[in-house]
């Protein structure tokens, strides 16, 4: 089974270097590696000179268009399996070999692996809730957890995910209109793949370390990030479940309740301090 790895990057030359070094150490190696670079300078282009096997594509799509860059890579891809790997996700030994194993089953449309954050106890946190879309519309991750076996899941983590190219072609690629931080674009793809009748597998032996490099704009999980995450999540549910669906109603109720509880906690804390 042939593989194309697509790496999208923006102003992170050192991350790209480390990411490609980890790919070159894989056994087997991917048949095709494509780096889509939206950087404003030439530093990443200079790094790429040391990796002659990788295809380098410069684009001017700029910040906030990661999904569009992924689709650009997809247009050039030739592999039967397409892997999307973040530039700050560094593959462990045997990562690719393990990622490919579930594709022996033709009912599997996508496979993702663990993404370690180097946090204490992360291998146990949320081990029973990995990759779930709950009945009240929440999307649970816990992709650093290790359940000890492969699991069927509802969605995959964007920094370490793969898909059959035939399935992506059937869907027309990724939707590139989840703005801001591109939050939920990979979840949208996962839900659409499942609607086609394919299984999604979390393969805990396909491991990357996700270092979480600095953002091109703002900070990870700042107010701006929170706004777009919330906005895009609502769009995700409306598109994939319907505007009149019970799951959307339950999520809205949950969101209002959580906001009221947070407001009460903040007000109580302010009162105590006063």
């Amino acid at each position: 089974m042939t593989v194309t790895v697509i790496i999208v990057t923006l102003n992170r030359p050192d991350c790209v270097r480390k990411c490609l070094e980890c790919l070159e150490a894989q056994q087997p190696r991917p048949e095709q590696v494509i780096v889509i670079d939206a950087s404003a300078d030439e530093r990443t282009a200079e790094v790429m000179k040391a990796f002659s096997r990788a295809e380098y594509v410069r684009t001017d799509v700029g910040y906030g268009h990661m999904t569009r860059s992924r689709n650009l890579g997809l247009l050039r891809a030739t592999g039967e399996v397409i892997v999307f790997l973040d530039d700050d996700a560094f593959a462990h030994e045997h990562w690719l070999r393990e990622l490919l194993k579930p594709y022996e089953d033709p009912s599997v449309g996508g496979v993702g692996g663990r993404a370690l954050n180097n946090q204490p106890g992360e291998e146990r946190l949320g081990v029973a809730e990995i990759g779930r879309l709950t009945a009240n519309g929440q999307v649970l991750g816990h992709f650093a957890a290790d359940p000890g076996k492969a699991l069927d899941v509802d969605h995959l983590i964007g920094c370490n995910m793969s898909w059959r190219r035939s399935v992506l072609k059937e869907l027309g690629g990724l939707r590139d209109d989840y703005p801001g931080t591109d939050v939920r674009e990979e979840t949208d793809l996962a839900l659409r793949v499942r609607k086609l009748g394919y299984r999604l597998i979390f393969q805990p032996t396909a491991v990357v370390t996700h270092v979480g490099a600095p953002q091109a704009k703002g900070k990870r999980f700042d107010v701006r990030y929170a706004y777009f995450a919330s906005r895009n999540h609502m769009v995700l549910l409306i598109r994939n479940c319907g505007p009149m669906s019970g799951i959307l109603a339950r999520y809205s109720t949950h969101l209002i309740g959580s906001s009221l509880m947070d407001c009460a906690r903040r007000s109580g804390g302010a009162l105590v301090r006063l």
Side-chain angles (χ1 to χ4, degrees):
M1 184 169 286
T2 57
V3 177
T4 296
V5 177
I6 298 173
I7 302 165
V8 170
T9 189
L10 176 65
N11 301 332
R12 291 176 176 175
D14 293 335
C15 286
V16 171
R17 180 185 292 107
K18 178 67 178 293
C19 184
L20 291 174
E21 287 172 351
C22 292
L23 281 182
E24 289 203 337
Q26 293 298 308
Q27 292 295 333
R29 281 185 178 183
E31 283 76 12
Q32 183 184 33
V33 176
I34 304 173
V35 175
I36 308 293
D37 180 22
S39 302
D41 55 40
E42 301 298 323
R43 291 179 299 159
T44 301
E46 288 298 314
V47 167
M48 293 301 300
K49 292 178 180 178
F51 299 93
S52 58
R53 294 182 68 250
E55 299 178 29
Y56 176 70
V57 180
R58 190 68 176 266
T59 176
D60 60 358
V61 297
Y63 174 79
H65 298 289
M66 181 178 184
T67 310
R68 190 173 301 174
S69 291
R70 281 176 167 168
N71 281 330
L72 286 175
L74 187 56
L75 290 173
R76 293 172 171 264
T78 59
E80 297 168 274
V81 171
I82 307 298
V83 181
F84 292 111
L85 186 65
D86 278 9
D87 57 3
D88 59 353
F90 307 141
H92 291 206
E93 187 178 11
H94 306 310
W95 160 78
L96 185 57
R97 184 189 71 187
E98 296 300 309
L99 198 67
L100 293 177
K101 282 182 177 180
Y103 285 110
E104 295 173 5
D105 182 343
S107 70
V108 173
V111 181
R114 293 178 70 202
L116 307 186
N117 303 300
N118 292 326
Q119 298 298 310
E122 64 183 3
E123 71 281 359
R124 300 184 302 275
L125 183 64
V127 73
E129 300 175 320
I130 299 169
R132 293 300 176 195
L133 174 64
T134 68
N136 66 357
Q138 290 180 288
V139 172
L140 304 180
H142 305 301
F143 291 110
D146 184 3
K149 61 180 181 180
L151 300 175
D152 281 84
V153 293
D154 297 322
H155 71 107
L156 307 171
I157 190 167
C159 70
N160 182 17
M161 64 180 183
S162 67
W163 311 90
R164 290 190 190 273
R165 184 160 68 97
S166 58
V167 174
L168 295 182
K169 184 177 180 180
E170 185 174 353
L171 291 172
L174 293 84
R175 286 175 171 151
D176 63 3
D177 54 355
Y178 283 89
T181 56
D182 287 322
V183 173
R184 294 294 179 257
E185 102 284 350
E186 73 276 9
T187 312
D188 177 88
L189 177 60
L191 296 183
R192 290 194 292 146
V193 169
R194 292 190 73 234
K195 278 186 178 180
L196 292 177
Y198 290 96
R199 297 167 60 206
L200 301 182
I201 301 297
F202 175 69
Q203 174 66 294
T205 51
V207 185
V208 303
T209 294
H210 191 208
V211 299
Q215 301 291 292
K217 184 182 294 185
K219 296 181 179 179
R220 194 177 296 271
F221 309 127
D222 60 10
V223 173
R224 179 181 176 278
Y225 184 99
Y227 163 74
F228 280 110
S230 205
R231 180 265 182 205
N232 291 355
H233 191 88
M234 293 293 289
V235 172
L236 171 81
L237 294 179
I238 292 169
R239 279 178 165 172
N240 291 281
C241 303
M244 304 302 293
S245 64
I247 194 170
L248 181 62
R250 289 190 294 272
Y251 177 74
S252 300
T253 302
H254 165 78
L255 191 62
I256 293 170
S258 297
S259 298
L260 290 174
M261 289 180 63
D262 183 60
C263 181
R265 282 194 298 268
R266 292 174 182 271
S267 298
L271 183 60
V272 168
R273 289 192 294 274
L274 180 62

